[in-house]
Each structure stands twice: as C-alpha cells, then as structure tokens.
Amino acid sequence: MNHVAQLSAVGEFRTLHESGCFVLPNPWDVGTAVYLQHLGFKALATTSAGLAFSRGKPDGEVLLNDMLAHIDEIVAATPLPVNADFLNGFADEPEDISMNVKLCIATGVAGLSIEDNSQNSAAPLYEKNLAVDRIRAARKAIDASGVPVVLTGRCEAWLVKAPDPFRAALDRLVAYAQAGADCLYAPGVEKADEIAEIVKAVSPKPVNVLVSGFNRELTLSQLTDLGVRRISVGSGLAAVAWGAFIRAARSIATTGEFDEAFANAVPFAEINNIFRERS
C-alpha cells in the first residue's frame, strides 16, 4: 500500500471510531479477508491465533518477520483499513517496541494493538509502569512516522487469569489512554456493567470489546447501547472454520462415509465466483 492510500485508510478507520459501533472481523488469510470485504464490512483486523493455527503453531509462536509478512498480505488483499494484532510488540523494552511499531506501520496498516501480556508465566502481565512506557513508546513511534495509525492499548488481565481482572484492566486501560492509546481493549470482559464502567473510565476514547464463544450472547445493539465503539471477534471465525473442518474430518475418519461430513459444505461455485470476480 502506498503512502497516500495508507493515509486514506487511516482516515477511514479513525472516522469509524468517532460515533456508533462497528464490527471489526478477523480474517486469517487472503481468502477470508476478501470474503469479509465482499460481505460489506468496513474494516478488518488480523488475528494472531488464527494465523498461528493456519501455520500449525500455538498462538504467540509466529516470529516477527512472519507476522509482518502476514500483515502486509492482509493489507494488500483489500482496500479496507486493517488493524494489526501485534501481540506484545515482539519485544519487552520500550525502545524495541518503538522499532517494531515502525516496521508494522510500514506494512500499510491503519491501526495496531500493543498488549501487556509478557509471555512470562511467572509474571504474565508486564509491571504497570513498564506497560505504560511501552504504550508511550508505541505512541512516539507512530507520531514520528507521520502516519496517524490508531493505537490500541490492550490489557490481557482476563486472558492471563489475573486475580481481579476487572480492577486490573480498569486501572491499566486508564493509564494506557493517558499514555497515548487511541482505543482501549480488554479481551475477556463479558459483564455489561463492567463494559459500561470501562467505557466511562476512558471516555471519550473508544473501547473495543471482544465477542467470542465465552460471551457470544452479546449483540451489536447491546454493545452499542453500552457505549462500545468497536467489536472484534479475535480467533472466533477461525475457530468456527476449524470446528466445521474437525467435525467433517472426524466423521470421515470414524465412519468411512462422506454424506454427513459434506452436508453443510458451501458450493464450490459460490466460493470460486467470489475470487473469479477479483482476478
């Protein structure tokens, strides 16, 4: 993506965060990105887990260069703004975060997230001051680039099973907002009152809520009423695809029959025609 096109995508992405609530679905390859555009979604986000599973790896074990190549591929697949799931920035120290954020911006993204999961089981969240400094370093790198990509500060308190995840997330998200994050995100929150309190605490900055299997009863209209600006699905769509694949493959392996396995398959022509229109 050239500089002008990236600036246009960033502008579109920022506008989406200004009012209302939008769904930011997560493709894991070019085909899924193209199909989500076909459905009319206004922006996309990468999923580290979806990518990792497609490579036969657990989440968090895709290397930086491979992640950057993947993000670049998704950005190039459609003209839609793309938000990069950039994990912990692939570094611990703020100066290294700054360098890696510059590399991520160079892929053409309209936004990126930096999380506080240290990948260290003994201390799964970075110490708060360091976590804040990491957000501040990402903000500084974005400002220096001249491309105002949307910086999302993520608190992973629920995902790492912190003792009091709501209080930890609330405290950290406020600090991340003050450090320069444009959007705040605590994947794992599911209670309406906690979502509302997070929205209020960081207002007027927008909040992203993850909707996946654990809180799938939430709806776009409910989250809009709570003041949420952005809804992402993380690895949810990838997990749905894996579920269909696993059930079909298991059925074939255990019964030697194909009727049930392929009963719900999308017709070849339906998929093929979408991509024929693109070529």
Side-chain angles (χ1 to χ4, degrees), residues 244 247-249 251-252 257-265:
R247 285 189 294 273
S251 178
I252 294 168
E257 298 177 358
F258 304 90
D259 183 42
E260 183 177 341
F262 296 151
N264 296 314

Side-chain angles (χ1 to χ4, degrees), residues 16 21-25 41-44 220 229-233:
L16 287 170
C21 184
F22 69 101
V23 178
L24 184 69
F41 288 102
K42 302 301 184 184
L44 305 173
L220 173 60
R229 285 278 184 266
R230 193 174 89 185
I231 301 167
S232 57
V233 299

Side-chain angles (χ1 to χ4, degrees), residues 75-171:
V75 168
T78 83
L80 297 180
V82 173
N83 188 80
D85 176 358
F86 207 47
L87 295 168
N88 68 348
F90 295 85
D92 297 322
E93 298 304 320
E95 57 268 27
D96 297 322
I97 289 289
S98 181
M99 180 175 63
N100 291 344
V101 165
K102 291 176 184 178
L103 295 174
C104 189
I105 294 170
T107 65
V109 293
L112 62 92
S113 61
I114 296 292
E115 64 189 44
D116 53 14
N117 186 340
S118 68
Q119 306 295 330
N120 176 3
S121 58
L125 293 180
Y126 288 109
E127 185 274 326
K128 182 185 171 183
N129 289 336
L130 175 58
V132 170
D133 286 343
R134 287 159 44 82
I135 295 295
R136 192 173 289 119
R139 174 81 270 154
K140 186 176 180 181
I142 290 169
D143 293 344
S145 75
V147 183
V149 304
V150 175
L151 173 61
T152 298
R154 285 180 50 152
C155 177
E156 305 289 287
W158 270 282
L159 298 192
V160 303
K161 296 180 172 56
D164 188 349
F166 172 63
R167 289 299 161 193
L170 195 66
D171 178 54

